[in-house]
Structure formats: structure tokens, C-alpha cells
Coordinates of all heavy atoms in Angstrom, one line a residue:
Q1 N 0.8 -1.2 0.0 CA 0.0 0.0 0.0 C 0.9 1.3 0.0 O 0.5 2.3 -0.6 CB -0.9 0.0 1.2 CG -1.9 1.1 1.2 CD -2.8 1.1 0.0 OE1 -3.2 0.1 -0.5 NE2 -3.2 2.3 -0.4
Q2 N 2.0 1.2 0.6 CA 2.9 2.4 0.6 C 3.4 2.6 -0.8 O 3.6 3.8 -1.2 CB 4.1 2.1 1.6 CG 5.1 3.3 1.7 CD 4.4 4.5 2.3 OE1 3.9 4.4 3.5 NE2 4.4 5.6 1.6
I3 N 3.7 1.6 -1.6 CA 4.0 1.8 -3.0 C 2.9 2.4 -3.7 O 3.1 3.3 -4.6 CB 4.4 0.4 -3.6 CG1 5.6 -0.2 -2.9 CG2 4.7 0.5 -5.1 CD1 6.0 -1.6 -3.3
N4 N 1.7 2.0 -3.5 CA 0.5 2.6 -4.2 C 0.4 4.1 -3.8 O 0.1 4.9 -4.6 CB -0.7 1.9 -3.8 CG -0.8 0.5 -4.3 OD1 -0.1 0.1 -5.3 ND2 -1.5 -0.4 -3.7
V5 N 0.7 4.4 -2.6 CA 0.6 5.8 -2.1 C 1.7 6.7 -2.9 O 1.4 7.8 -3.4 CB 0.8 5.9 -0.6 CG1 1.0 7.4 -0.2 CG2 -0.4 5.4 0.1
N6 N 2.9 6.1 -3.0 CA 4.0 6.9 -3.7 C 3.7 7.1 -5.1 O 3.9 8.1 -5.7 CB 5.3 6.1 -3.5 CG 5.8 6.0 -2.1 OD1 5.4 6.8 -1.2 ND2 6.6 5.0 -1.8
T7 N 3.1 6.0 -5.8 CA 2.7 6.2 -7.2 C 1.6 7.2 -7.3 O 1.6 8.0 -8.3 CB 2.2 4.8 -7.7 OG1 3.2 3.8 -7.5 CG2 1.8 4.9 -9.2
A8 N 0.6 7.2 -6.4 CA -0.4 8.2 -6.5 C 0.1 9.6 -6.3 O -0.3 10.6 -6.9 CB -1.5 7.9 -5.4
E9 N 1.1 9.8 -5.4 CA 1.7 11.1 -5.2 C 2.4 11.6 -6.4 O 2.3 12.8 -6.8 CB 2.7 11.0 -4.0 CG 2.1 10.9 -2.7 CD 3.1 10.8 -1.6 OE1 4.3 10.5 -1.9 OE2 2.7 10.9 -0.4
A10 N 3.1 10.7 -7.2 CA 3.7 11.1 -8.4 C 2.7 11.5 -9.5 O 2.9 12.5 -10.2 CB 4.6 9.9 -8.9
A11 N 1.6 10.8 -9.5 CA 0.5 11.1 -10.5 C -0.1 12.5 -10.1 O -0.4 13.3 -11.0 CB -0.5 10.0 -10.5
V12 N -0.2 12.8 -8.8 CA -0.7 14.1 -8.4 C 0.2 15.2 -8.9 O -0.2 16.3 -9.4 CB -1.0 14.1 -6.9 CG1 -1.3 15.5 -6.4 CG2 -2.1 13.2 -6.5
V13 N 1.5 15.0 -8.7 CA 2.5 16.1 -9.1 C 2.4 16.3 -10.6 O 2.4 17.4 -11.1 CB 3.9 15.6 -8.6 CG1 4.9 16.6 -9.2 CG2 4.0 15.6 -7.1
E14 N 2.4 15.2 -11.3 CA 2.3 15.3 -12.8 C 1.0 16.0 -13.2 O 1.0 16.9 -14.1 CB 2.4 13.9 -13.4 CG 2.3 13.9 -14.9 CD 2.4 12.5 -15.5 OE1 2.5 11.6 -14.7 OE2 2.4 12.4 -16.7
A15 N -0.1 15.7 -12.6 CA -1.4 16.3 -13.0 C -1.4 17.8 -12.6 O -1.9 18.6 -13.4 CB -2.5 15.6 -12.3
R16 N -0.8 18.1 -11.5 CA -0.7 19.5 -11.1 C 0.1 20.3 -12.1 O -0.2 21.5 -12.5 CB -0.1 19.6 -9.7 CG -0.1 21.1 -9.2 CD 0.6 21.1 -7.9 NE 2.0 20.6 -8.0 CZ 2.8 20.4 -7.0 NH1 2.3 20.5 -5.7 NH2 4.0 19.9 -7.2
N17 N 1.2 19.7 -12.6 CA 2.1 20.4 -13.5 C 1.4 20.6 -14.9 O 1.5 21.7 -15.5 CB 3.4 19.7 -13.8 CG 4.3 19.7 -12.5 OD1 4.2 20.6 -11.7 ND2 5.2 18.7 -12.4
V18 N 0.6 19.6 -15.3 CA -0.2 19.8 -16.5 C -1.2 20.9 -16.4 O -1.4 21.7 -17.3 CB -0.8 18.4 -16.9 CG1 -1.8 18.6 -18.0 CG2 0.2 17.4 -17.2
Y19 N -1.8 21.0 -15.3 CA -2.8 22.0 -15.0 C -2.2 23.4 -15.0 O -2.7 24.3 -15.7 CB -3.5 21.8 -13.7 CG -4.4 22.9 -13.2 CD1 -5.6 23.2 -13.8 CD2 -3.9 23.8 -12.2 CE1 -6.4 24.3 -13.4 CE2 -4.7 24.8 -11.8 CZ -5.9 25.1 -12.4 OH -6.7 26.2 -12.0
E20 N -1.1 23.5 -14.3 CA -0.4 24.8 -14.3 C 0.1 25.2 -15.7 O 0.1 26.4 -16.0 CB 0.7 24.8 -13.3 CG 0.2 24.6 -11.8 CD 1.4 24.5 -10.8 OE1 2.5 24.3 -11.3 OE2 1.1 24.5 -9.6
T21 N 0.6 24.2 -16.4 CA 1.0 24.5 -17.8 C -0.1 25.0 -18.7 O 0.0 25.9 -19.5 CB 1.7 23.2 -18.4 OG1 2.7 22.8 -17.6 CG2 2.1 23.5 -19.8
A22 N -1.3 24.4 -18.5 CA -2.5 24.8 -19.3 C -2.8 26.3 -18.9 O -3.2 27.1 -19.8 CB -3.6 23.9 -19.0
V23 N -2.7 26.6 -17.6 CA -3.1 28.0 -17.2 C -2.1 29.0 -17.8 O -2.4 30.1 -18.4 CB -3.1 28.1 -15.7 CG1 -3.2 29.6 -15.3 CG2 -4.2 27.3 -15.1
I24 N -0.8 28.6 -17.8 CA 0.3 29.5 -18.4 C 0.1 29.6 -19.9 O 0.3 30.7 -20.5 CB 1.7 28.9 -18.1 CG1 1.9 29.0 -16.5 CG2 2.7 29.6 -18.8 CD1 3.2 28.3 -16.1
A25 N -0.3 28.5 -20.6 CA -0.6 28.5 -22.0 C -1.6 29.5 -22.4 O -1.5 30.2 -23.4 CB -0.9 27.1 -22.5
K26 N -2.7 29.6 -21.6 CA -3.7 30.6 -21.9 C -3.2 32.0 -21.7 O -3.5 32.9 -22.6 CB -4.9 30.4 -20.9 CG -6.0 31.3 -21.1 CD -7.1 31.1 -20.1 CE -8.3 32.1 -20.3 NZ -9.4 31.9 -19.4
R27 N -2.5 32.3 -20.7 CA -1.9 33.6 -20.5 C -0.9 33.9 -21.6 O -0.8 35.1 -22.1 CB -1.2 33.7 -19.1 CG -2.2 33.7 -17.9 CD -1.4 33.8 -16.7 NE -0.6 35.1 -16.7 CZ 0.3 35.3 -15.8 NH1 0.7 34.4 -14.9 NH2 1.0 36.5 -15.9
E28 N -0.1 32.9 -22.0 CA 0.8 33.1 -23.0 C 0.2 33.5 -24.4 O 0.6 34.4 -25.1 CB 1.6 31.8 -23.2 CG 2.7 31.9 -24.4 CD 3.3 30.5 -24.7 OE1 2.7 29.5 -24.2 OE2 4.3 30.5 -25.3
Y29 N -0.9 32.9 -24.6 CA -1.6 33.2 -25.9 C -2.2 34.6 -25.8 O -2.1 35.4 -26.8 CB -2.7 32.2 -26.2 CG -3.5 32.5 -27.4 CD1 -3.0 32.3 -28.7 CD2 -4.8 33.0 -27.3 CE1 -3.7 32.6 -29.8 CE2 -5.5 33.3 -28.4 CZ -5.0 33.1 -29.7 OH -5.7 33.5 -30.8
L30 N -2.9 34.9 -24.7 CA -3.6 36.2 -24.7 C -2.6 37.3 -24.6 O -2.8 38.4 -25.2 CB -4.5 36.2 -23.4 CG -5.8 35.4 -23.5 CD1 -6.5 35.4 -22.2 CD2 -6.7 35.8 -24.7
E31 N -1.6 37.1 -23.8 CA -0.7 38.2 -23.6 C 0.6 38.2 -24.5 O 1.3 39.2 -24.6 CB -0.2 38.2 -22.1 CG -1.3 38.4 -21.1 CD -0.8 38.3 -19.7 OE1 0.4 38.3 -19.5 OE2 -1.7 38.2 -18.8
G32 N 0.8 37.1 -25.2 CA 1.9 37.0 -26.1 C 1.6 36.7 -27.5 O 1.7 37.5 -28.4
T33 N 1.2 35.5 -27.8 CA 1.1 35.0 -29.1 C 0.0 35.8 -29.9 O 0.2 36.2 -31.0 CB 0.7 33.5 -29.1 OG1 1.7 32.7 -28.4 CG2 0.6 32.9 -30.5
F34 N -1.1 36.0 -29.2 CA -2.2 36.7 -29.9 C -1.8 38.2 -30.2 O -2.0 38.7 -31.3 CB -3.5 36.7 -29.1 CG -4.6 37.6 -29.6 CD1 -5.3 37.2 -30.7 CD2 -4.9 38.8 -29.0 CE1 -6.3 37.9 -31.2 CE2 -5.9 39.6 -29.5 CZ -6.6 39.2 -30.6
V35 N -1.2 38.8 -29.3 CA -0.7 40.2 -29.5 C 0.3 40.3 -30.6 O 0.3 41.2 -31.5 CB -0.1 40.8 -28.2 CG1 0.5 42.2 -28.5 CG2 -1.2 40.9 -27.2
Q36 N 1.2 39.3 -30.6 CA 2.3 39.2 -31.7 C 1.6 39.0 -33.0 O 2.1 39.7 -34.0 CB 3.2 38.1 -31.3 CG 4.4 38.0 -32.3 CD 5.4 36.9 -31.9 OE1 5.1 36.2 -30.9 NE2 6.4 36.7 -32.7
E37 N 0.7 38.1 -33.1 CA 0.0 37.9 -34.4 C -0.7 39.1 -34.9 O -0.8 39.4 -36.1 CB -0.9 36.7 -34.3 CG -0.1 35.3 -34.2 CD -1.1 34.2 -34.0 OE1 -2.3 34.4 -33.9 OE2 -0.6 33.0 -34.0
V38 N -1.4 39.8 -34.0 CA -2.1 41.0 -34.3 C -1.2 42.1 -34.9 O -1.4 42.7 -35.9 CB -2.9 41.5 -33.1 CG1 -3.4 42.9 -33.4 CG2 -4.1 40.6 -32.8
E39 N 0.0 42.2 -34.2 CA 0.9 43.2 -34.6 C 1.5 42.9 -36.0 O 1.7 43.7 -36.9 CB 2.0 43.4 -33.6 CG 1.6 44.0 -32.3 CD 2.7 44.0 -31.3 OE1 3.7 43.4 -31.5 OE2 2.5 44.7 -30.2
T40 N 1.7 41.6 -36.2 CA 2.3 41.1 -37.5 C 1.3 41.4 -38.6 O 1.6 41.9 -39.7 CB 2.6 39.6 -37.4 OG1 3.6 39.4 -36.4 CG2 3.2 39.1 -38.8
L41 N 0.0 41.1 -38.4 CA -1.0 41.3 -39.4 C -1.2 42.8 -39.6 O -1.5 43.2 -40.8 CB -2.3 40.6 -39.0 CG -2.2 39.0 -39.1 CD1 -3.6 38.5 -38.6 CD2 -1.9 38.5 -40.5
E42 N -1.2 43.5 -38.6 CA -1.4 45.0 -38.7 C -0.2 45.6 -39.5 O -0.4 46.5 -40.3 CB -1.5 45.7 -37.4 CG -2.8 45.4 -36.7 CD -2.8 46.1 -35.3 OE1 -1.7 46.5 -34.8 OE2 -3.9 46.1 -34.7
S43 N 1.0 45.0 -39.3 CA 2.2 45.5 -40.1 C 2.0 45.1 -41.6 O 2.3 45.9 -42.5 CB 3.4 44.9 -39.5 OG 4.5 45.2 -40.3
E44 N 1.5 43.9 -41.8 CA 1.3 43.5 -43.2 C 0.2 44.4 -43.8 O 0.3 44.8 -45.0 CB 0.8 42.1 -43.2 CG 1.9 41.1 -42.9 CD 1.4 39.6 -42.9 OE1 0.2 39.4 -43.3 OE2 2.2 38.7 -42.6
L45 N -0.9 44.7 -43.1 CA -1.9 45.6 -43.6 C -1.4 47.0 -43.9 O -1.7 47.6 -44.9 CB -3.1 45.6 -42.6 CG -4.2 46.5 -43.0 CD1 -4.9 46.1 -44.3 CD2 -5.3 46.6 -41.9
F46 N -0.5 47.5 -43.0 CA 0.1 48.8 -43.2 C 0.9 48.8 -44.5 O 0.9 49.7 -45.3 CB 0.9 49.2 -42.0 CG 1.6 50.5 -42.1 CD1 0.9 51.7 -42.0 CD2 3.0 50.5 -42.5 CE1 1.6 52.9 -42.1 CE2 3.6 51.8 -42.6 CZ 2.9 52.9 -42.4

């Protein structure tokens, strides 16, 4: 059972990292990728 607990703890750490990565990806798109693409297209339009 101690082995099962250790495996479950590792799975929790991995799932938490995936969640935090997803949150960062959203901020990255809104505050970085999207703004960059808008500026690029506006430059092309200009």
C-alpha cells in the first residue's frame, strides 16, 4: 500500500504540472502569441 501511495503522489504532481502548464498557455496566448500575431498582421496591412 505504501508503494501505491507513492505512485499516487507522483501522479498528483504530474497532473498539477499539466494544469499549471495549461493556465500558463492561456496567459501566453492572450498576452503574447495573440498580440504578436495581431501586430504582424497589422504590419502587413500597413
Side-chain angles (χ1 to χ4, degrees):
Q1 187 58 34
Q2 184 64 60
I3 297 175
N4 294 337
V5 170
N6 296 339
T7 303
E9 288 178 346
V12 168
V13 173
E14 181 181 0
R16 182 185 62 191
N17 291 336
V18 172
Y19 168 73
E20 292 176 351
T21 302
V23 173
I24 294 173
K26 180 181 178 181
R27 291 183 58 194
E28 178 188 16
Y29 177 75
L30 288 176
E31 299 176 8
T33 305
F34 174 72
V35 174
Q36 183 180 0
E37 290 179 354
V38 169
E39 290 176 352
T40 300
L41 292 178
E42 287 178 346
S43 176
E44 291 180 3
L45 178 59
F46 177 77

